[in-house]
Amino acid sequence: MLDDKFEEIIRAHAGEIFGQVAGLPDGHRKRFEQRLKEYKERCGVPVLSADCRQSARATSLKHADSATDCRHVSSAVSMKKRWIAIVATAAAVLAGIVFMLNLPEDKQHGTELADIRNYYNMQLEEQSEVTRQLALNVDDAHRTALLADIERIENDPIPDVQVPNDEYIVLIVNVYEKKIEILRNIQYVIRGNI
């Protein structure tokens, strides 16, 4: 009721408000409906009658079914857009999964192996240097044998076996930790005899 009065006031003063004449040109609505009908037929959207459009404008409880039908026309177009968006999203997710599956794991594990080797090499060098410094306090006969043992421990190779990368990492860690433990035991013995 209030909307009707408000609409009448706007129509009466449309020329003043919008700077144009209040009414539409003759035949404007028919041309618009005809273009809309042609567009809907091309797109495959069902064309609804003028009565259905009128009932949608005057939405009330007794015309709820026809208003729903009218909303179906606009929802059909938006459903196509939603469907396209869903398909595009699914394609992007699928492409991401395929890309992630094709990542070269060797490079990832190769850098991880290199990092582990570098860390334990630094630890081994540090313990070797401490042991060499302590060996300077031992007599010449034992010092030569001790330095040869330190050299042998440092140069003892890590076994090259064909195992999964995770198991190979464990093998590397165990070998280096064993070497470091031996050097610490030598340091303990030297300190006990000084």
Side-chain angles (χ1 to χ4, degrees):
M1 209 183 323
L2 183 60
D3 291 338
D4 293 336
K5 288 181 184 178
F6 187 65
E7 187 175 333
E8 287 176 27
I9 293 171
I10 290 176
R11 285 180 194 246
H13 299 287
E16 296 171 17
I17 297 171
F18 300 113
Q20 57 185 351
V21 180
L24 295 172
D26 291 335
H28 173 75
R29 255 187 223 284
K30 288 191 185 248
R31 288 191 304 273
F32 179 75
E33 286 178 359
Q34 183 61 34
R35 278 190 277 162
L36 183 62
K37 194 182 289 185
E38 290 171 3
Y39 175 76
K40 288 179 180 179
E41 288 172 356
R42 268 186 289 156
C43 295
V45 177
V47 179
L48 300 175
S49 66
D51 294 336
C52 183
R53 287 190 300 275
Q54 281 291 31
S55 66
R57 282 189 204 122
T59 306
S60 66
L61 293 176
K62 62 183 175 181
H63 295 295
D65 292 337
S66 62
T68 304
D69 291 343
C70 292
R71 283 188 218 116
H72 176 69
V73 171
S74 63
S75 70
V77 173
S78 65
M79 285 298 289
K80 285 182 182 180
K81 291 179 181 177
R82 286 182 192 147
W83 182 250
I84 290 171
I86 290 170
V87 168
T89 303
V93 168
L94 184 62
I97 290 171
V98 168
F99 178 75
M100 294 301 290
L101 289 176
N102 289 332
L103 279 179
E105 291 183 24
D106 293 337
K107 288 183 180 178
Q108 181 182 11
H109 286 292
T111 57
E112 188 174 306
L113 287 172
D115 290 343
I116 291 170
R117 281 182 185 243
N118 288 338
Y119 172 76
Y120 279 103
N121 270 332
M122 287 180 5
Q123 294 289 323
L124 183 65
E125 286 176 18
E126 180 182 314
Q127 293 301 319
S128 297
E129 188 59 36
V130 169
T131 309
R132 280 192 183 95
Q133 290 298 320
L134 287 172
L136 295 176
N137 298 328
V138 178
D139 61 352
D140 289 337
H142 290 98
R143 183 181 316 135
T144 308
L146 195 56
L147 292 176
D149 286 341
I150 294 171
E151 195 70 32
R152 187 178 43 80
I153 291 170
E154 286 180 331
N155 294 330
D156 191 24
I158 295 175
D160 190 23
V161 292
Q162 297 295 326
V163 293
N165 284 335
D166 294 337
E167 292 178 19
Y168 192 63
I169 290 172
V170 171
L171 176 70
I172 290 173
V173 169
N174 287 337
V175 168
Y176 275 107
E177 285 183 350
K178 198 56 106 170
K179 289 179 177 185
I180 291 170
E181 182 182 348
I182 292 170
L183 289 172
R184 286 185 179 154
N185 287 339
I186 293 171
Q187 293 169 16
Y188 178 74
V189 169
I190 294 172
R191 285 186 181 124
N193 290 329
I194 295 180

